[in-house]
Amino acid sequence: MIKKRFIAGASCKKCQKQDVIRWCKDNVSDQEWIECVSCGYHEDKAEAVMAAEHPQEAADSVVKIVQFK
């Protein structure tokens, strides 16, 4: 299944129109790309970005509340 979401305020690199770019992700292959619904411009996410490891949040991360008087 392919997930598609518009990117508010984004402009197309080819036709320069605003609010016509959508981000797409294929859940089966984990491929990501952007495409313009106006002119058909298409750009795949760079392989270096796709292959990068993303840091995981520490299990012991706790939000602390500080009270001021």
Coordinates of all heavy atoms in Angstrom, one line a residue:
M1 N 0.8 -1.2 0.0 CA 0.0 0.0 0.0 C 0.9 1.2 0.0 O 1.9 1.3 0.7 CB -0.9 0.0 1.2 CG -1.9 1.1 1.3 SD -3.0 0.8 2.6 CE -3.2 2.5 3.1
I2 N 0.5 2.2 -0.8 CA 1.3 3.5 -0.9 C 0.6 4.6 -0.1 O -0.6 4.8 -0.3 CB 1.5 3.9 -2.3 CG1 2.3 2.8 -3.1 CG2 2.2 5.2 -2.4 CD1 2.5 3.1 -4.5
K3 N 1.3 5.2 0.8 CA 0.8 6.3 1.6 C 1.2 7.6 0.9 O 2.3 7.7 0.5 CB 1.5 6.2 3.0 CG 0.7 6.8 4.1 CD 1.6 6.9 5.4 CE 1.4 5.7 6.3 NZ 2.0 5.9 7.6
K4 N 0.2 8.5 0.8 CA 0.5 9.8 0.1 C 0.0 10.9 0.9 O -1.1 10.9 1.4 CB -0.2 9.8 -1.3 CG 0.3 8.8 -2.2 CD -0.4 8.8 -3.6 CE 0.1 7.8 -4.5 NZ -0.6 7.8 -5.8
R5 N 0.9 11.9 1.1 CA 0.5 13.1 1.9 C 1.0 14.4 1.2 O 2.2 14.4 0.8 CB 1.1 13.0 3.3 CG 0.6 11.8 4.0 CD 0.3 12.2 5.5 NE -0.5 11.2 6.1 CZ -0.1 10.3 6.9 NH1 1.2 10.2 7.1 NH2 -1.0 9.4 7.5
F6 N 0.2 15.4 1.1 CA 0.7 16.7 0.6 C 1.6 17.4 1.6 O 1.4 17.3 2.8 CB -0.5 17.6 0.2 CG -1.1 17.2 -1.1 CD1 -2.2 16.3 -1.2 CD2 -0.6 17.7 -2.3 CE1 -2.7 16.0 -2.4 CE2 -1.1 17.4 -3.5 CZ -2.2 16.5 -3.6
I7 N 2.5 18.1 1.0 CA 3.5 18.9 1.8 C 3.0 20.4 1.7 O 3.2 21.0 0.7 CB 4.9 18.7 1.4 CG1 5.3 17.2 1.4 CG2 5.9 19.5 2.3 CD1 6.6 16.9 0.8
A8 N 2.5 20.9 2.8 CA 2.0 22.3 2.8 C 3.1 23.3 2.6 O 4.1 23.2 3.2 CB 1.2 22.6 4.1
G9 N 2.9 24.2 1.6 CA 3.9 25.2 1.4 C 5.0 24.9 0.5 O 5.8 25.7 0.1
A10 N 5.1 23.6 0.1 CA 6.3 23.2 -0.7 C 6.0 23.6 -2.2 O 4.9 23.6 -2.7 CB 6.4 21.7 -0.7
S11 N 7.1 24.0 -2.9 CA 7.0 24.4 -4.3 C 7.7 23.3 -5.1 O 8.8 22.8 -4.8 CB 7.7 25.7 -4.5 OG 7.0 26.7 -3.8
C12 N 7.2 23.1 -6.3 CA 7.8 22.1 -7.3 C 9.1 22.7 -7.9 O 9.2 23.9 -8.2 CB 6.8 21.8 -8.4 SG 7.5 20.7 -9.7
K13 N 10.1 21.9 -8.0 CA 11.4 22.3 -8.5 C 11.3 22.6 -10.0 O 12.1 23.4 -10.6 CB 12.5 21.3 -8.3 CG 12.9 21.1 -6.9 CD 14.0 20.1 -6.7 CE 14.4 19.9 -5.3 NZ 15.4 18.9 -5.1
K14 N 10.3 22.0 -10.7 CA 10.2 22.1 -12.1 C 9.3 23.2 -12.5 O 9.6 24.1 -13.3 CB 9.8 20.8 -12.7 CG 9.8 20.7 -14.2 CD 9.4 19.4 -14.7 CE 9.3 19.3 -16.3 NZ 8.9 18.0 -16.7
C15 N 8.0 23.1 -12.1 CA 7.0 24.1 -12.5 C 6.9 25.3 -11.6 O 6.1 26.3 -11.9 CB 5.7 23.4 -12.7 SG 4.8 22.9 -11.2
Q16 N 7.5 25.3 -10.4 CA 7.5 26.3 -9.4 C 6.1 26.6 -8.7 O 6.0 27.6 -8.0 CB 8.1 27.6 -10.0 CG 9.5 27.5 -10.5 CD 10.5 27.1 -9.5 OE1 10.5 27.6 -8.4 NE2 11.3 26.1 -9.8
K17 N 5.1 25.8 -9.0 CA 3.8 26.0 -8.3 C 3.9 25.5 -6.9 O 4.7 24.6 -6.5 CB 2.7 25.2 -9.0 CG 2.4 25.7 -10.4 CD 1.3 25.0 -11.0 CE 1.0 25.5 -12.4 NZ -0.1 24.7 -13.1
Q18 N 3.1 26.2 -6.0 CA 3.1 25.9 -4.6 C 2.0 25.0 -4.3 O 0.9 25.1 -4.9 CB 3.1 27.2 -3.8 CG 3.3 27.0 -2.3 CD 3.4 28.3 -1.6 OE1 3.1 29.4 -2.1 NE2 3.8 28.2 -0.3
D19 N 2.1 24.2 -3.2 CA 1.1 23.3 -2.7 C 0.7 22.2 -3.7 O -0.5 21.8 -3.7 CB -0.1 24.1 -2.2 CG 0.2 24.9 -1.0 OD1 1.1 24.5 -0.2 OD2 -0.5 25.9 -0.8
V20 N 1.6 21.7 -4.5 CA 1.3 20.7 -5.5 C 2.2 19.4 -5.3 O 2.1 18.5 -6.0 CB 1.4 21.1 -7.0 CG1 0.3 22.2 -7.3 CG2 2.8 21.7 -7.3
I21 N 3.1 19.5 -4.3 CA 4.0 18.4 -4.0 C 3.4 17.5 -2.9 O 2.9 17.9 -1.9 CB 5.4 19.0 -3.5 CG1 6.0 19.8 -4.5 CG2 6.3 17.9 -3.0 CD1 6.5 19.0 -5.7
R22 N 3.5 16.2 -3.2 CA 3.1 15.2 -2.2 C 4.2 14.2 -2.0 O 5.0 13.9 -2.9 CB 1.8 14.5 -2.6 CG 1.8 13.7 -3.8 CD 0.5 13.1 -4.1 NE 0.5 12.4 -5.3 CZ -0.6 11.9 -5.9 NH1 -1.8 12.1 -5.4 NH2 -0.5 11.3 -7.1
W23 N 4.3 13.8 -0.7 CA 5.3 12.8 -0.3 C 4.6 11.4 -0.4 O 3.5 11.3 0.0 CB 5.7 13.1 1.2 CG 6.4 12.0 1.9 CD1 7.8 11.7 1.8 CD2 5.9 11.0 2.7 NE1 8.1 10.7 2.6 CE2 6.9 10.2 3.2 CE3 4.6 10.8 3.2 CZ2 6.7 9.2 4.1 CZ3 4.4 9.7 4.1 CH2 5.4 8.9 4.5
C24 N 5.3 10.4 -0.9 CA 4.8 9.1 -1.0 C 5.7 8.1 -0.4 O 6.9 8.2 -0.5 CB 4.6 8.8 -2.5 SG 3.6 10.0 -3.4
K25 N 5.1 7.1 0.2 CA 5.9 6.0 0.8 C 5.2 4.6 0.5 O 4.0 4.5 0.8 CB 6.1 6.1 2.3 CG 6.9 5.0 2.9 CD 7.2 5.2 4.3 CE 8.0 4.1 4.9 NZ 8.3 4.2 6.3
D26 N 6.0 3.7 -0.1 CA 5.5 2.4 -0.3 C 5.8 1.5 0.9 O 7.0 1.3 1.3 CB 6.2 1.8 -1.5 CG 5.6 0.4 -1.9 OD1 4.8 -0.1 -1.2 OD2 5.9 -0.1 -3.0
N27 N 4.8 1.1 1.6 CA 5.0 0.3 2.9 C 5.6 -1.0 2.7 O 6.2 -1.6 3.6 CB 3.7 0.2 3.6 CG 3.2 1.5 4.2 OD1 4.0 2.4 4.5 ND2 1.9 1.6 4.4
V28 N 5.5 -1.6 1.5 CA 6.0 -2.9 1.2 C 7.5 -2.8 1.0 O 8.3 -3.6 1.6 CB 5.3 -3.5 -0.1 CG1 6.0 -4.8 -0.4 CG2 3.8 -3.7 0.2
S29 N 8.0 -1.9 0.2 CA 9.4 -1.8 -0.2 C 10.2 -0.7 0.6 O 11.4 -0.6 0.5 CB 9.6 -1.5 -1.7 OG 9.1 -0.2 -2.0
D30 N 9.4 0.1 1.4 CA 10.0 1.2 2.2 C 10.6 2.3 1.3 O 11.4 3.1 1.8 CB 11.0 0.7 3.2 CG 10.3 0.2 4.5 OD1 9.1 0.5 4.7 OD2 11.0 -0.6 5.2
Q31 N 10.3 2.3 0.0 CA 10.8 3.4 -0.8 C 10.0 4.7 -0.6 O 8.8 4.6 -0.3 CB 10.6 3.0 -2.3 CG 11.5 1.9 -2.8 CD 12.9 2.5 -2.9 OE1 13.6 2.4 -1.9 NE2 13.3 3.0 -4.0
E32 N 10.7 5.8 -0.7 CA 10.0 7.1 -0.5 C 10.4 8.0 -1.6 O 11.5 7.9 -2.2 CB 10.5 7.8 0.8 CG 10.1 7.0 2.1 CD 10.5 7.8 3.3 OE1 10.5 9.0 3.4 OE2 10.9 7.0 4.3
W33 N 9.4 8.9 -2.0 CA 9.7 9.8 -3.1 C 8.7 11.0 -3.0 O 7.8 11.0 -2.2 CB 9.5 9.2 -4.5 CG 8.1 8.7 -4.8 CD1 7.2 9.4 -5.4 CD2 7.6 7.4 -4.4 NE1 6.0 8.6 -5.5 CE2 6.2 7.4 -4.9 CE3 8.0 6.3 -3.8 CZ2 5.4 6.3 -4.8 CZ3 7.2 5.2 -3.6 CH2 5.9 5.2 -4.1
I34 N 9.0 12.1 -3.7 CA 8.0 13.2 -3.8 C 7.6 13.3 -5.3 O 8.4 12.9 -6.2 CB 8.6 14.5 -3.3 CG1 9.9 14.9 -4.1 CG2 8.9 14.5 -1.8 CD1 10.4 16.3 -3.8
E35 N 6.4 13.8 -5.5 CA 5.9 14.0 -6.9 C 5.0 15.2 -6.9 O 4.4 15.6 -5.9 CB 5.2 12.7 -7.3 CG 4.0 12.4 -6.5 CD 3.4 11.0 -6.9 OE1 4.1 10.2 -7.5 OE2 2.2 10.8 -6.6
C36 N 5.0 15.8 -8.1 CA 4.2 17.0 -8.3 C 2.9 16.6 -9.0 O 3.0 15.9 -10.1 CB 5.0 18.0 -9.2 SG 4.0 19.5 -9.6
V37 N 1.8 16.9 -8.5 CA 0.5 16.5 -9.1 C 0.2 17.4 -10.3 O -0.7 17.1 -11.1 CB -0.6 16.5 -8.1 CG1 -0.4 15.5 -7.0 CG2 -0.8 17.9 -7.5
S38 N 0.9 18.5 -10.4 CA 0.6 19.5 -11.5 C 1.4 19.1 -12.8 O 0.8 19.0 -13.9 CB 1.0 20.9 -11.1 OG 0.7 21.8 -12.1
C39 N 2.7 19.0 -12.7 CA 3.5 18.7 -13.9 C 4.1 17.3 -14.0 O 4.7 16.9 -15.0 CB 4.7 19.7 -14.0 SG 6.0 19.5 -12.8
G40 N 4.0 16.5 -12.9 CA 4.5 15.1 -13.0 C 5.9 15.0 -12.5 O 6.5 13.9 -12.6
Y41 N 6.6 16.0 -12.0 CA 7.9 15.9 -11.6 C 8.0 14.8 -10.5 O 7.1 14.7 -9.7 CB 8.4 17.3 -11.0 CG 9.8 17.2 -10.4 CD1 10.9 17.2 -11.1 CD2 9.9 17.2 -9.0 CE1 12.2 17.2 -10.5 CE2 11.1 17.1 -8.4 CZ 12.3 17.1 -9.2 OH 13.5 17.1 -8.6
H42 N 9.1 14.1 -10.5 CA 9.2 12.9 -9.6 C 10.7 12.9 -9.1 O 11.6 13.1 -9.9 CB 8.9 11.6 -10.3 CG 9.1 10.4 -9.5 ND1 10.2 9.8 -9.4 CD2 8.2 9.7 -8.8 CE1 10.1 8.7 -8.6 NE2 8.8 8.7 -8.2
E43 N 10.9 12.7 -7.7 CA 12.2 12.7 -7.2 C 12.3 11.6 -6.1 O 11.5 11.6 -5.1 CB 12.7 14.0 -6.6 CG 14.1 14.0 -6.1 CD 14.4 15.4 -5.5 OE1 14.1 16.4 -6.1 OE2 15.1 15.4 -4.5
D44 N 13.2 10.6 -6.3 CA 13.3 9.5 -5.3 C 14.2 10.0 -4.1 O 15.0 10.8 -4.3 CB 14.0 8.3 -5.9 CG 13.1 7.6 -6.9 OD1 11.9 7.5 -6.7 OD2 13.6 7.1 -8.0
K45 N 13.9 9.5 -3.0 CA 14.7 9.8 -1.8 C 16.1 9.1 -2.0 O 16.2 8.0 -2.5 CB 14.1 9.2 -0.5 CG 14.7 9.7 0.7 CD 13.8 9.4 1.9 CE 14.3 10.0 3.2 NZ 13.5 9.6 4.3
A46 N 17.1 9.9 -1.7 CA 18.5 9.4 -1.9 C 18.8 8.1 -1.2 O 18.3 7.9 0.0 CB 19.5 10.5 -1.5
E47 N 19.5 7.2 -1.8 CA 19.8 5.9 -1.2 C 20.6 6.1 0.1 O 20.5 5.3 1.0 CB 20.6 5.0 -2.2 CG 19.8 4.5 -3.4 CD 18.6 3.6 -2.9 OE1 18.8 2.8 -2.0 OE2 17.6 3.7 -3.5
A48 N 21.5 7.1 0.2 CA 22.3 7.3 1.4 C 21.4 7.6 2.6 O 21.6 7.2 3.7 CB 23.3 8.4 1.1
V49 N 20.3 8.4 2.3 CA 19.4 8.7 3.4 C 18.6 7.5 3.8 O 18.3 7.2 4.9 CB 18.4 9.9 2.9 CG1 17.4 10.1 4.0 CG2 19.2 11.1 2.6
M50 N 18.2 6.7 2.8 CA 17.4 5.5 3.0 C 18.2 4.5 3.9 O 17.6 3.8 4.7 CB 16.9 4.8 1.7 CG 15.9 5.7 0.9 SD 14.3 5.8 1.7 CE 13.7 4.2 1.6
A51 N 19.5 4.4 3.6 CA 20.3 3.4 4.3 C 20.8 3.9 5.6 O 21.4 3.1 6.4 CB 21.5 3.0 3.4
A52 N 20.7 5.1 6.0 CA 21.2 5.7 7.2 C 20.5 5.1 8.4 O 19.3 4.8 8.4 CB 21.1 7.2 7.3
E53 N 21.3 4.8 9.5 CA 20.7 4.3 10.7 C 20.1 5.5 11.5 O 20.8 6.6 11.6 CB 21.7 3.6 11.5 CG 22.1 2.3 11.0 CD 23.0 1.4 11.9 OE1 22.9 1.6 13.1 OE2 23.7 0.6 11.4
H54 N 19.0 5.4 12.0 CA 18.4 6.5 12.8 C 18.5 6.1 14.3 O 18.3 5.0 14.7 CB 16.9 6.6 12.4 CG 16.7 6.9 11.0 ND1 17.0 8.2 10.5 CD2 16.3 6.2 10.0 CE1 16.8 8.1 9.2 NE2 16.3 7.0 8.8
P55 N 18.9 7.1 15.1 CA 19.1 6.8 16.5 C 17.8 6.5 17.2 O 16.7 7.0 16.9 CB 19.6 8.2 17.1 CG 19.2 9.2 16.1 CD 19.1 8.5 14.7
Q56 N 17.9 5.5 18.1 CA 16.7 5.1 18.9 C 16.6 5.9 20.2 O 17.7 6.2 20.7 CB 16.8 3.6 19.2 CG 16.8 2.7 17.9 CD 15.5 2.8 17.1 OE1 14.5 2.9 17.7 NE2 15.6 2.8 15.8
E57 N 15.4 6.1 20.6 CA 15.3 6.9 21.9 C 15.7 5.9 23.0 O 15.4 4.7 23.0 CB 13.9 7.3 22.1 CG 13.6 8.6 21.5 CD 12.2 9.2 22.0 OE1 12.0 9.1 23.2 OE2 11.5 9.7 21.1
A58 N 16.4 6.5 24.0 CA 16.7 5.7 25.2 C 15.5 5.3 25.9 O 14.6 6.0 26.1 CB 17.7 6.5 26.1
A59 N 15.5 4.0 26.4 CA 14.4 3.5 27.1 C 14.1 4.2 28.5 O 13.0 4.3 29.0 CB 14.5 2.0 27.4
D60 N 15.2 4.8 29.0 CA 15.1 5.5 30.3 C 14.9 7.0 30.2 O 15.1 7.7 31.2 CB 16.3 5.1 31.2 CG 17.6 5.7 30.6 OD1 17.6 6.0 29.4 OD2 18.6 5.7 31.3
S61 N 14.6 7.4 29.0 CA 14.4 8.9 28.9 C 13.0 9.3 29.5 O 12.0 8.7 29.3 CB 14.3 9.3 27.4 OG 13.3 8.7 26.7
V62 N 13.2 10.2 30.4 CA 12.0 10.6 31.2 C 11.9 12.1 31.2 O 12.9 12.9 31.2 CB 12.2 10.2 32.7 CG1 11.0 10.7 33.6 CG2 12.3 8.7 32.9
V63 N 10.7 12.6 31.0 CA 10.4 14.0 31.0 C 10.3 14.5 32.5 O 9.6 13.9 33.3 CB 9.1 14.4 30.3 CG1 8.8 15.9 30.4 CG2 9.2 14.0 28.9
K64 N 11.1 15.5 32.9 CA 11.1 15.9 34.2 C 10.4 17.3 34.3 O 10.5 18.1 33.4 CB 12.6 16.1 34.7 CG 13.3 14.8 34.8 CD 14.7 15.0 35.3 CE 15.4 13.6 35.4 NZ 16.7 13.8 35.9
I65 N 9.6 17.4 35.4 CA 8.9 18.6 35.6 C 9.6 19.5 36.6 O 9.9 19.0 37.7 CB 7.4 18.3 36.0 CG1 6.7 17.5 34.9 CG2 6.7 19.6 36.3 CD1 5.3 17.0 35.3
V66 N 9.9 20.7 36.3 CA 10.5 21.7 37.2 C 9.5 22.7 37.5 O 8.9 23.4 36.6 CB 11.8 22.3 36.5 CG1 12.4 23.3 37.5 CG2 12.7 21.2 36.1
Q67 N 9.3 22.9 38.8 CA 8.3 23.9 39.3 C 9.1 25.2 39.7 O 10.1 25.1 40.4 CB 7.5 23.4 40.4 CG 6.6 22.2 40.0 CD 5.7 21.7 41.1 OE1 5.9 22.1 42.3 NE2 4.7 20.9 40.7
F68 N 8.6 26.3 39.3 CA 9.1 27.6 39.7 C 8.2 28.3 40.6 O 7.0 28.2 40.5 CB 9.3 28.5 38.4 CG 10.4 28.0 37.5 CD1 10.0 27.2 36.4 CD2 11.7 28.3 37.7 CE1 11.0 26.7 35.6 CE2 12.7 27.9 36.8 CZ 12.3 27.0 35.8
K69 N 8.7 29.0 41.6 CA 7.9 29.7 42.6 C 7.8 31.2 42.3 O 8.6 31.7 41.7 CB 8.4 29.5 44.0 CG 8.3 28.1 44.5 CD 8.8 28.0 45.9 CE 8.6 26.5 46.3 NZ 8.9 26.4 47.7

